[in-house]
Amino acid sequence: MAEAVQTRRGWGHFPLLRALASNPVTLAALVIVIVFLMMAAFAPWLAPYPPTKIDVLHKLQPPSAEHWFGTDHLGRDLLSRIIHGARTALTIAIGSVAVAGSVGLLLGLIAGYGPRWLDGVLVLVFDSLNSLPMIMFALAIITVLGTGTGTLIFVIAATSFPSYARLIRAQTLALKNSDYILAERLMDAHPLRILLVHLLPNVVGPLIILLSMDIPVVIMVEAGLSFLGLGVRPPTPSWGSILYDGYTSIRSAPFVVIFGGLPLVLATLGFTFLGEGLRDSLDPRLKLRRPA
């Protein structure tokens, strides 16, 4: 009993983790996400072979004790490339989402709290960027800048931040006329203080939810561009390029596609269900709808 009380008290210091752990699906998703984050962080130590090591004499070897997931068409260890591909996918996904979220947060606060003419100009910019098809925009930018991790982060961030900015703008407009904001204005509080101290903590919650749920979308976009040859430069491992290599030899070695697609499925499910768990925990409107 004492241990149970102590455990509950320990969880009490982390209410968000307690809420996530209370749902088995969300808890499983959290474990999957942590596993992929660990894979990305410690890829050089976890991979049994260098991901770019070519061994043509042992190409398209089926799974064995030496190569757990087999080898690809150049004899490279598939497990090592998948592990390093996790670093590529998460670097691009988290990097682009972080950049887009930061820009969207800043511009959304300015649009929602700034003068009306500035709000109109920024909304016009948001709508214009939202109307651009991501694939066509990516093709244009990649043609100019070339393929690479930095180019992908720029393309995805440039096409994603308008939706985040519109969300923050709507939240700011809903809060700017609240009683406590009006009281701060009456006391001649600096606009920067109102933005950072009062508005920012109240609008960042929905943004975190949206960012977490967009990470699997970005992972799939990166994989799709790499599958088309528009992603990271070879021989950098990428889940999309692994799938393309497996597609070219699917008749003779179907295990390449199976093992290459498995991390995409698991990562997408993990981040999606974790995002839904965060939404259920952080969105007060859902808490009010939840039965006692």
Side-chain angles (χ1 to χ4, degrees):
M1 178 64 71
E3 293 179 357
V5 172
Q6 186 177 1
T7 301
R8 283 195 294 269
R9 288 178 180 175
W11 279 111
H13 295 293
F14 306 97
L16 179 59
L17 290 179
R18 181 179 59 185
L20 294 177
S22 63
N23 188 335
V25 176
T26 306
L27 181 59
L30 179 61
V31 172
I32 292 174
V33 169
I34 291 175
V35 169
F36 277 108
L37 291 175
M38 297 292 287
M39 284 173 55
F42 301 103
W45 296 274
L46 294 176
Y49 298 94
T52 58
K53 180 181 178 181
I54 297 176
D55 186 5
V56 181
L57 296 178
H58 296 88
K59 64 179 182 179
L60 297 178
Q61 293 293 312
S64 63
E66 187 177 2
H67 300 283
W68 289 5
F69 285 4
T71 60
D72 64 4
H73 67 295
L74 295 177
R76 297 171 296 191
D77 182 67
L78 195 56
L79 176 59
S80 300
R81 291 187 61 78
I82 289 174
I83 292 175
H84 281 268
R87 168 173 285 190
T88 302
L90 293 182
T91 298
I92 293 174
I94 296 176
S96 59
V97 165
V99 172
S102 301
V103 175
L105 178 62
L106 176 62
L107 295 182
L109 285 172
I110 294 173
Y113 195 76
R116 184 171 297 180
W117 67 267
L118 182 58
D119 180 32
V121 172
L122 289 176
V123 169
L124 179 62
V125 173
F126 301 156
D127 293 341
S128 300
L129 290 175
N130 269 332
S131 64
L132 295 176
M134 178 181 289
I135 298 299
M136 298 302 296
F137 182 73
L139 287 173
I141 297 299
I142 290 172
T143 301
V144 175
L145 300 181
T147 59
T149 302
T151 303
L152 285 179
I153 292 177
F154 173 77
V155 169
I156 296 172
T159 54
S160 301
F161 84 85
S163 59
Y164 305 143
R166 292 188 68 90
L167 171 67
I168 298 301
R169 172 183 175 271
Q171 296 285 329
T172 304
L173 288 174
L175 294 172
K176 67 182 295 186
N177 293 322
S178 302
D179 293 339
Y180 65 94
I181 299 296
L182 296 177
E184 287 286 326
R185 290 179 181 174
L186 290 175
M187 292 187 294
D188 292 331
H190 195 278
L192 188 61
R193 169 182 167 80
I194 296 176
L195 288 174
L196 297 180
V197 177
H198 298 287
L199 289 176
L200 181 60
N202 288 287
V203 302
V204 74
L207 178 63
I208 293 176
I209 297 171
L210 185 59
L211 292 177
S212 63
M213 299 191 73
D214 279 354
I215 288 178
V217 178
V218 177
I219 290 176
M220 294 300 295
V221 169
E222 184 275 328
L225 291 174
S226 296
F227 184 88
L228 296 174
L230 302 175
V232 296
R233 295 187 180 93
T236 302
S238 171
W239 290 342
S241 60
I242 293 173
L243 280 177
Y244 178 78
D245 295 338
Y247 175 77
T248 58
S249 56
I250 191 171
R251 293 183 180 274
S252 58
F255 60 87
V256 179
V257 172
I258 295 174
F259 289 121
L262 186 62
L264 267 176
V265 174
L266 291 178
T268 301
L269 291 177
F271 279 102
T272 300
F273 285 115
L274 180 60
E276 292 182 354
L278 288 173
R279 180 194 61 191
D280 295 341
S281 302
L282 296 176
D283 194 337
R285 293 169 297 182
L286 293 177
K287 292 181 181 179
L288 293 176
R289 297 175 190 171
R290 192 176 299 152

Short mmCIF file of all heavy atoms in Angstrom, two decimals, residues 3 46 68 79 97 103 108 117 139 154 196 200 205 208 210-211 215 228 230 234 239 246 258 279 282:
data_model
loop_
_atom_site.label_atom_id
_atom_site.label_comp_id
_atom_site.label_asym_id
_atom_site.label_seq_id
_atom_site.Cartn_x
_atom_site.Cartn_y
_atom_site.Cartn_z
N GLU A 3 3.87 1.54 -1.11
CA GLU A 3 4.52 1.67 -2.40
C GLU A 3 3.56 2.26 -3.43
O GLU A 3 3.93 3.07 -4.27
CB GLU A 3 5.05 0.33 -2.88
CG GLU A 3 6.19 -0.21 -2.01
CD GLU A 3 6.67 -1.56 -2.53
OE1 GLU A 3 6.07 -2.06 -3.49
OE2 GLU A 3 7.64 -2.10 -1.97
N LEU A 46 24.20 1.49 -32.52
CA LEU A 46 23.22 0.40 -32.61
C LEU A 46 23.35 -0.38 -33.91
O LEU A 46 23.06 -1.58 -33.94
CB LEU A 46 21.80 0.95 -32.48
CG LEU A 46 21.42 1.56 -31.13
CD1 LEU A 46 20.02 2.15 -31.19
CD2 LEU A 46 21.50 0.52 -30.02
N TRP A 68 20.37 -9.61 -39.95
CA TRP A 68 19.04 -9.94 -39.41
C TRP A 68 17.91 -9.59 -40.38
O TRP A 68 16.93 -10.31 -40.46
CB TRP A 68 18.84 -9.21 -38.08
CG TRP A 68 19.67 -9.75 -36.97
CD1 TRP A 68 20.61 -10.73 -37.05
CD2 TRP A 68 19.63 -9.36 -35.60
NE1 TRP A 68 21.18 -10.98 -35.85
CE2 TRP A 68 20.59 -10.16 -34.91
CE3 TRP A 68 18.91 -8.42 -34.88
CZ2 TRP A 68 20.82 -10.02 -33.55
CZ3 TRP A 68 19.13 -8.28 -33.52
CH2 TRP A 68 20.08 -9.09 -32.86
N LEU A 79 19.32 -3.78 -41.90
CA LEU A 79 19.03 -3.31 -40.55
C LEU A 79 19.80 -2.03 -40.24
O LEU A 79 19.25 -1.08 -39.66
CB LEU A 79 19.37 -4.40 -39.54
CG LEU A 79 19.21 -4.02 -38.06
CD1 LEU A 79 17.78 -3.61 -37.75
CD2 LEU A 79 19.64 -5.19 -37.18
N VAL A 97 9.26 20.60 -38.49
CA VAL A 97 8.11 20.95 -37.65
C VAL A 97 8.50 22.01 -36.63
O VAL A 97 7.72 22.93 -36.34
CB VAL A 97 7.57 19.68 -36.96
CG1 VAL A 97 6.65 20.03 -35.82
CG2 VAL A 97 6.83 18.81 -37.97
N VAL A 103 8.09 29.73 -36.57
CA VAL A 103 7.69 30.82 -37.46
C VAL A 103 6.19 31.06 -37.38
O VAL A 103 5.72 32.22 -37.31
CB VAL A 103 8.12 30.51 -38.90
CG1 VAL A 103 7.61 31.57 -39.87
CG2 VAL A 103 9.64 30.40 -39.00
N GLY A 108 1.76 34.26 -36.11
CA GLY A 108 0.38 34.18 -35.64
C GLY A 108 0.10 35.16 -34.51
O GLY A 108 -0.96 35.79 -34.46
N TRP A 117 -4.25 46.31 -40.44
CA TRP A 117 -3.64 46.27 -41.77
C TRP A 117 -2.56 45.20 -41.85
O TRP A 117 -2.42 44.52 -42.87
CB TRP A 117 -3.07 47.64 -42.13
CG TRP A 117 -1.90 48.06 -41.29
CD1 TRP A 117 -1.92 48.81 -40.17
CD2 TRP A 117 -0.51 47.74 -41.54
NE1 TRP A 117 -0.65 48.99 -39.67
CE2 TRP A 117 0.23 48.35 -40.49
CE3 TRP A 117 0.16 47.03 -42.51
CZ2 TRP A 117 1.61 48.25 -40.41
CZ3 TRP A 117 1.54 46.92 -42.44
CH2 TRP A 117 2.26 47.53 -41.40
N LEU A 139 9.33 20.46 -55.95
CA LEU A 139 10.06 20.28 -57.20
C LEU A 139 10.76 21.56 -57.63
O LEU A 139 11.92 21.54 -58.08
CB LEU A 139 9.09 19.82 -58.30
CG LEU A 139 8.58 18.38 -58.20
CD1 LEU A 139 7.51 18.13 -59.25
CD2 LEU A 139 9.72 17.39 -58.38
N PHE A 154 13.54 23.05 -45.36
CA PHE A 154 13.05 24.35 -45.82
C PHE A 154 11.72 24.21 -46.54
O PHE A 154 10.78 24.98 -46.30
CB PHE A 154 14.08 25.01 -46.73
CG PHE A 154 13.59 26.27 -47.39
CD1 PHE A 154 13.51 27.44 -46.68
CD2 PHE A 154 13.20 26.26 -48.72
CE1 PHE A 154 13.05 28.61 -47.28
CE2 PHE A 154 12.73 27.41 -49.33
CZ PHE A 154 12.66 28.59 -48.61
N LEU A 196 4.19 37.70 -24.39
CA LEU A 196 5.02 36.63 -23.84
C LEU A 196 4.48 36.05 -22.54
O LEU A 196 4.57 34.84 -22.31
CB LEU A 196 6.45 37.15 -23.62
CG LEU A 196 7.21 37.59 -24.88
CD1 LEU A 196 8.60 38.08 -24.51
CD2 LEU A 196 7.29 36.45 -25.88
N LEU A 200 1.16 33.94 -24.93
CA LEU A 200 1.95 32.78 -25.35
C LEU A 200 1.63 31.51 -24.56
O LEU A 200 1.41 30.45 -25.18
CB LEU A 200 3.44 33.12 -25.24
CG LEU A 200 4.41 32.01 -25.65
CD1 LEU A 200 4.19 31.61 -27.10
CD2 LEU A 200 5.86 32.45 -25.44
N GLY A 205 -0.45 25.47 -26.21
CA GLY A 205 -0.96 24.11 -26.03
C GLY A 205 -1.54 23.52 -27.30
O GLY A 205 -1.13 22.42 -27.73
N ILE A 208 1.23 22.67 -29.81
CA ILE A 208 1.99 21.45 -29.50
C ILE A 208 1.23 20.22 -29.99
O ILE A 208 1.81 19.28 -30.56
CB ILE A 208 2.28 21.37 -28.00
CG1 ILE A 208 3.25 22.48 -27.59
CG2 ILE A 208 2.86 20.00 -27.63
CD1 ILE A 208 3.51 22.54 -26.10
N LEU A 210 -0.97 20.08 -32.47
CA LEU A 210 -0.93 20.04 -33.92
C LEU A 210 0.45 19.62 -34.44
O LEU A 210 0.56 18.84 -35.39
CB LEU A 210 -1.32 21.41 -34.49
CG LEU A 210 -1.45 21.51 -36.01
CD1 LEU A 210 -2.50 20.53 -36.51
CD2 LEU A 210 -1.82 22.93 -36.42
N LEU A 211 1.50 20.12 -33.80
CA LEU A 211 2.86 19.75 -34.23
C LEU A 211 3.11 18.26 -34.05
O LEU A 211 3.69 17.61 -34.93
CB LEU A 211 3.89 20.56 -33.43
CG LEU A 211 3.96 22.06 -33.68
CD1 LEU A 211 4.99 22.70 -32.75
CD2 LEU A 211 4.29 22.37 -35.12
N ILE A 215 3.99 15.38 -37.27
CA ILE A 215 5.28 14.70 -37.44
C ILE A 215 5.15 13.45 -38.32
O ILE A 215 5.96 13.26 -39.25
CB ILE A 215 5.90 14.36 -36.07
CG1 ILE A 215 6.41 15.64 -35.39
CG2 ILE A 215 7.05 13.37 -36.22
CD1 ILE A 215 7.01 15.42 -34.01
N LEU A 228 10.91 9.08 -54.72
CA LEU A 228 10.93 9.66 -56.07
C LEU A 228 12.31 10.16 -56.47
O LEU A 228 12.49 10.67 -57.59
CB LEU A 228 9.92 10.81 -56.16
CG LEU A 228 8.45 10.43 -55.95
CD1 LEU A 228 7.59 11.69 -55.92
CD2 LEU A 228 7.97 9.48 -57.05
N LEU A 230 13.87 12.65 -54.84
CA LEU A 230 13.93 14.08 -54.56
C LEU A 230 14.26 14.36 -53.09
O LEU A 230 14.15 15.50 -52.64
CB LEU A 230 12.58 14.75 -54.89
CG LEU A 230 12.11 14.59 -56.33
CD1 LEU A 230 10.71 15.17 -56.49
CD2 LEU A 230 13.08 15.26 -57.29
N PRO A 234 21.95 10.35 -52.04
CA PRO A 234 22.59 9.06 -51.81
C PRO A 234 24.07 9.27 -51.52
O PRO A 234 24.66 10.26 -51.99
CB PRO A 234 22.38 8.32 -53.14
CG PRO A 234 21.27 9.06 -53.82
CD PRO A 234 21.37 10.48 -53.38
N TRP A 239 14.34 5.93 -45.40
CA TRP A 239 13.33 4.89 -45.53
C TRP A 239 12.70 4.89 -46.91
O TRP A 239 12.36 3.83 -47.46
CB TRP A 239 12.27 5.08 -44.45
CG TRP A 239 12.77 4.79 -43.08
CD1 TRP A 239 13.89 4.08 -42.74
CD2 TRP A 239 12.19 5.19 -41.83
NE1 TRP A 239 14.04 4.01 -41.38
CE2 TRP A 239 13.01 4.68 -40.80
CE3 TRP A 239 11.07 5.92 -41.49
CZ2 TRP A 239 12.72 4.89 -39.45
CZ3 TRP A 239 10.78 6.14 -40.14
CH2 TRP A 239 11.60 5.63 -39.14
N GLY A 246 13.92 -1.68 -52.70
CA GLY A 246 13.18 -2.93 -52.58
C GLY A 246 12.16 -3.11 -53.68
O GLY A 246 11.90 -4.23 -54.13
N ILE A 258 9.30 -5.35 -47.28
CA ILE A 258 8.62 -5.62 -46.01
C ILE A 258 9.34 -4.94 -44.85
O ILE A 258 8.73 -4.20 -44.07
CB ILE A 258 8.51 -7.14 -45.79
CG1 ILE A 258 7.61 -7.78 -46.86
CG2 ILE A 258 7.96 -7.43 -44.38
CD1 ILE A 258 7.57 -9.28 -46.80
N ARG A 279 -3.53 15.36 -27.37
CA ARG A 279 -4.73 16.17 -27.59
C ARG A 279 -5.76 15.92 -26.50
O ARG A 279 -6.35 16.85 -25.95
CB ARG A 279 -5.34 15.85 -28.96
CG ARG A 279 -6.58 16.63 -29.29
CD ARG A 279 -7.28 16.02 -30.48
NE ARG A 279 -7.68 14.64 -30.19
CZ ARG A 279 -8.12 13.78 -31.10
NH1 ARG A 279 -8.17 14.14 -32.37
NH2 ARG A 279 -8.46 12.56 -30.76
N LEU A 282 -4.31 17.59 -23.23
CA LEU A 282 -4.05 19.02 -23.16
C LEU A 282 -5.23 19.88 -23.59
O LEU A 282 -5.26 21.06 -23.25
CB LEU A 282 -2.85 19.38 -24.05
CG LEU A 282 -1.51 18.78 -23.64
CD1 LEU A 282 -0.44 19.14 -24.65
CD2 LEU A 282 -1.11 19.26 -22.26
#
